[in-house]
């Protein structure tokens, strides 16, 4: 009996797939089809797959062409499979020409001509093209524009930036305007990265116009405002998503899953630091820079709230404010108390520290080295170092790419595919609001810069 094996993603199964499977089957007596696992696709940069592994397997099974279906989960598995199943022929479409010649050592390799004019990517794009408008300032806009190119069904359609074109040179191929209304007219959705003080107004205007919103965190500065905007989005069937790209970075996401499996026992402490030195030597904010609590607070609070929830018993904050009126903190430390755990968050735009994340448990701890918010690596450490494990994951586009995929998926499905729960977003805005109210805020001053009092 001649056994043939072939592999693929088989997303939105089409006649190109069917034709390939028919010809593969005709090469022998028994056809094994390897369907790629979601994690494996992500790891090899195939991000936009629409259907789950189970749906894709069901579609391959429904063709009636496969005698056996297996799941492809890791690099190098093909060699294992060929040996294990006693395969004589490996076959795949001609788009992979030459790529699998290394398998000739184990079996015959045949490249079958690919069916012209159809692909899963084309089908995904055809489904609906979401035109995305980018709103705000800075080079991050160009970054998002570039990342859009990796996401099926998403197209960067325009940029709205207040006279900041200088930073955006090279983006003339799409609409660049300083009129928000003009941008809203031309797009289906917006990504907002303007100063947080403008978010509420901009998010509300977009939602009222029927546009989906992906907004940098903090989405707004008051919890009640966030609740109102969420209601508005829900009433209109629109997506309102918090943009914290770290939530979508593979290493970070896997870390959460691992922790849920209890690999370090019960979590007792989460310690997070995020800093970037971005103020002038005299410690004055440059133009409209984001203060520490807005620039770093959301991403630093993310692991705390995702691991320990937002139901803390107490939250105390200490800030070094160098401009009371502008509420500009060069450093803020937040301590959270939970019934069974504590967390400490340190953020700074005017101080520098080790940007690490440490999660301590009753059996061991996880160490994520700086800069933890865009890491591709972490370690699980135990009392006995021989048990330590190092975990590596790919980090394409700092998580932006996956975030955009989730955004488009949420729009298409009409249901949230966000990795950040609304409770987490609400929790973040609650802390930011407490900072701005200043009520329970403890203050410190630099020795070198006397505190500037409120005007
Ligand atoms: N295939 C084919 N003809 C097509 C599309 C795919 O023969 N028009 C073959 C591929 O060469 C591969 C198998 O079908 O052997 C599974 O391909 P897969 O990557 O799942 O499908 P694509 O449509 O190429 O997916 P994408 O657009 O996401 O790359």
């Amino acid at each position: 009996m001649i056994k043939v094996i072939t592999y693929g993603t088989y997303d939105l199964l089409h006649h190109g797939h069917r034709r390939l499977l028919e010809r593969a089957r005709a090469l022998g007596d028994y056809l094994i089809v390897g369907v790629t696992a979601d994690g494996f696709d992500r790891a090899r940069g195939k991000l936009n797959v629409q259907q789950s592994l189970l749906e894709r397997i069901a579609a391959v099974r429904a063709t009636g062409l496969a005698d056996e279906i297996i799941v492809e989960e890791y690099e190098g598995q093909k060699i294992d499979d060929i040996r294990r199943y006693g395969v004589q022929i490996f076959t795949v479409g001609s788009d992979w020409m030459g790529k699998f010649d290394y398998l000739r050592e184990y079996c015959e390799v045949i490249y079958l001509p690919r069916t012209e004019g159809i692909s899963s990517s084309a089908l995904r794009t055809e489904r609906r093209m979401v035109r995305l408008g980018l709103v705000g300032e800075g080079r991050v806009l160009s970054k998002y524009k570039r990342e859009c190119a990796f996401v099926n069904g998403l197209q960067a359609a325009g940029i709205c930036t207040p006279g900041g074109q200088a930073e955006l040179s090279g983006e003339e191929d799409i609409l660049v305007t300083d009129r928000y209304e003009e941008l809203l007219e031309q797009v289906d959705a917006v990504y907002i990265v303007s100063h947080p003080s403008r978010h509420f107004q901009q998010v509300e205007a977009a939602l009222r116009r029927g546009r989906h919103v992906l907004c940098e965190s903090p989405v707004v500065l008051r919890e009640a405002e966030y609740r109102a905007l969420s209601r508005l989005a829900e009433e209109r069937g629109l997506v309102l998503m918090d943009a914290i790209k770290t939530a979508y970075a593979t290493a970070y996401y896997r870390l959460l899953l691992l922790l849920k499996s209890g690999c370090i026992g019960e979590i007792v402490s989460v310690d997070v630091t995020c800093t970037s030195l971005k103020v002038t030597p005299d410690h004055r904010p440059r133009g409209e820079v984001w203060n520490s609590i807005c620039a770093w607070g959301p991403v630093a609070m993310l692991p705390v709230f995702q691991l320990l929830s937002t139901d803390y018993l107490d939250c105390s904050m200490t800030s070094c404010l160098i401009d009371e009126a502008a509420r500009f903190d060069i450093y803020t430390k937040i301590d959270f108390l939970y019934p069974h755990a504590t967390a400490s968050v340190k953020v700074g735009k005017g101080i520098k520290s080790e940007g690490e994340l440490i999660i301590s448990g009753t059996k061991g701890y996880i160490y994520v080295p700086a800069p933890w918010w865009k890491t591709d690596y972490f370690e699980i450490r135990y009392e006995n170092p021989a048990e330590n494990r190092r975990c590596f994951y790919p980090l394409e586009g700092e998580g932006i790419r996956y975030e955009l995929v989730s955004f488009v998926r949420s729009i298409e499905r009409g249901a949230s595919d966000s990795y950040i729960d609304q409770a987490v977003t609400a929790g973040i805005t609650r802390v930011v609001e407490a900072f701005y109210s200043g009520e329970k805020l403890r203050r410190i001053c630099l020795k070198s810069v006397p505190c500037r009092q409120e005007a």
Side-chain angles (χ1 to χ4, degrees):
M1 181 166 74
I2 299 176
K3 281 191 173 179
V4 181
I5 199 162
T6 189
Y7 295 85
T9 306
Y10 304 103
D11 190 27
L12 310 173
L13 198 118
H14 51 72
H15 82 269
H17 292 142
R18 225 167 275 118
R19 284 201 58 219
L20 183 111
L21 294 176
E22 280 162 8
R23 286 172 294 157
R25 191 163 209 256
L27 291 172
D29 311 302
Y30 190 85
L31 177 65
I32 303 171
V33 180
V35 182
T36 48
D38 299 328
F40 183 61
D41 270 324
R42 263 178 84 137
R44 63 194 188 120
K46 207 163 184 168
L47 315 174
N48 299 293
V49 178
Q50 300 280 322
Q51 293 182 300
S52 69
L53 174 62
L54 289 180
E55 288 169 319
R56 292 181 286 116
I57 289 177
V60 171
R61 183 169 296 125
T63 63
L65 294 163
D67 293 293
E68 190 167 347
I69 299 174
I70 59 170
V71 177
E72 185 183 22
E73 287 173 290
Y74 57 90
E75 192 79 48
Q77 185 183 322
K78 292 186 179 73
I79 298 176
D80 270 352
D81 291 341
I82 289 166
R83 284 181 174 152
R84 186 176 313 137
Y85 296 101
V87 167
Q88 280 88 29
I89 300 174
F90 167 91
T91 186
V92 73
S94 53
D95 43 324
W96 294 98
M97 188 63 86
K99 195 86 202 293
F100 295 107
D101 287 357
Y102 70 93
L103 294 175
R104 290 195 199 280
E105 209 182 314
Y106 309 93
C107 66
E108 191 180 342
V109 174
I110 299 176
Y111 298 100
L112 292 167
R114 190 181 157 91
T115 306
E116 292 301 319
I118 180 124
S119 72
S120 302
S121 307
L123 289 176
R124 286 189 293 256
T125 306
E126 262 171 32
R127 282 181 140 193
R128 188 178 169 208
M129 185 59 90
V130 175
R131 294 164 305 157
L132 183 70
L134 308 165
V135 186
E137 302 99 38
R139 273 170 308 181
V140 66
L141 292 176
S142 305
K143 227 186 220 180
Y144 268 78
K145 178 174 175 256
R146 271 198 309 279
E147 291 297 318
C148 283
F150 294 95
V151 180
N152 286 154
L154 186 68
Q155 178 200 358
I159 296 179
C160 175
T161 186
Q165 277 88 341
E167 278 183 334
L168 296 171
S169 54
E171 310 298 1
E172 297 81 11
D173 52 329
I174 57 172
L175 166 80
V176 179
T177 176
D178 57 1
R179 291 183 44 240
Y180 190 45
E181 275 301 314
E182 186 184 359
L183 181 86
L184 287 180
E185 257 166 46
Q186 314 249 344
V187 299
D188 308 299
V190 283
Y191 161 68
I192 299 176
V193 62
S194 54
H195 192 266
S197 57
R198 282 194 289 281
H199 286 182
F200 179 73
Q201 215 186 347
Q202 288 175 333
V203 173
E204 191 189 27
L207 293 174
R208 291 209 181 281
R209 275 225 154 223
R211 309 300 184 239
H212 304 279
V213 177
L214 174 66
C215 183
E216 273 300 325
S217 210
V219 173
V220 278
L221 302 177
R222 286 183 197 87
E223 197 185 351
E225 287 177 350
Y226 174 63
R227 303 251 179 233
L229 292 177
S230 304
R231 257 196 319 275
L232 182 60
E234 212 175 304
E235 279 161 21
R236 306 202 167 204
L238 297 166
V239 175
L240 169 60
M241 237 173 86
D242 194 345
I244 306 179
K245 52 185 181 293
T246 300
Y248 299 85
T250 311
Y252 174 78
Y253 183 64
R254 288 297 167 89
L255 177 146
L256 293 188
L257 294 179
L258 261 171
L259 285 166
K260 296 218 157 104
S261 74
C263 66
I264 58 163
E266 195 176 325
I267 298 171
V268 176
S269 167
V270 178
D271 299 279
V272 200
T273 306
C274 297
T275 69
S276 53
L277 211 46
K278 284 257 174 66
V279 285
T280 56
D282 68 343
H283 302 282
R284 280 184 177 278
R286 236 185 245 130
E288 205 181 32
V289 277
W290 292 35
N291 56 6
S292 305
I293 190 79
C294 286
W296 285 121
V299 65
M301 284 185 264
L302 185 73
V304 176
F305 290 163
Q306 289 192 314
L307 291 167
L308 301 177
S309 87
T310 50
D311 297 327
Y312 48 83
L313 299 173
D314 187 48
C315 159
S316 61
M317 253 184 281
T318 308
S319 283
C320 182
L321 289 164
I322 52 156
D323 191 333
E324 272 283 346
R327 273 281 184 277
F328 197 90
D329 57 328
I330 55 164
Y331 166 72
T332 289
K333 182 168 190 294
I334 315 172
D335 290 297
F336 294 99
L337 175 72
Y338 290 82
H340 309 289
T342 63
S344 98
V345 162
K346 279 195 275 181
V347 293
K349 295 275 290 215
I351 66 140
K352 193 70 202 150
S353 187
E354 184 74 7
E356 61 191 11
L357 166 63
I358 301 173
I359 302 150
S360 315
T362 50
K363 290 187 189 154
Y365 70 99
I366 288 199
Y367 175 70
V368 193
W372 74 265
W373 54 91
K374 49 176 170 185
T375 191
D376 54 358
Y377 157 73
F378 60 83
E379 285 184 37
I380 311 172
R381 294 179 178 171
Y382 297 100
E383 187 70 16
N384 173 7
E387 292 172 19
N388 290 1
R389 263 172 62 198
R390 292 162 169 232
C391 306
F392 296 87
Y393 300 93
L395 177 77
E396 286 96 2
E398 296 171 33
I400 296 174
R401 219 169 279 180
Y402 302 136
E403 178 183 86
L404 292 172
V405 169
S406 276
F407 185 50
V408 173
R409 223 177 258 167
S410 301
I411 293 172
E412 278 172 352
R413 292 184 182 170
S416 172
D417 185 53
S418 171
Y419 287 19
I420 305 170
D421 288 345
Q422 286 201 352
V424 170
T425 304
I428 291 169
T429 38
R430 192 180 315 141
V431 175
V432 172
E433 180 170 1
F435 167 87
Y436 277 100
S437 83
E439 265 172 36
K440 285 205 221 144
L441 191 67
R442 290 179 301 194
R443 289 133 207 257
I444 56 168
C445 282
L446 288 181
K447 271 195 210 155
S448 52
V449 186
C451 294
R452 284 188 271 274
Q453 290 306 315
E454 207 143 357

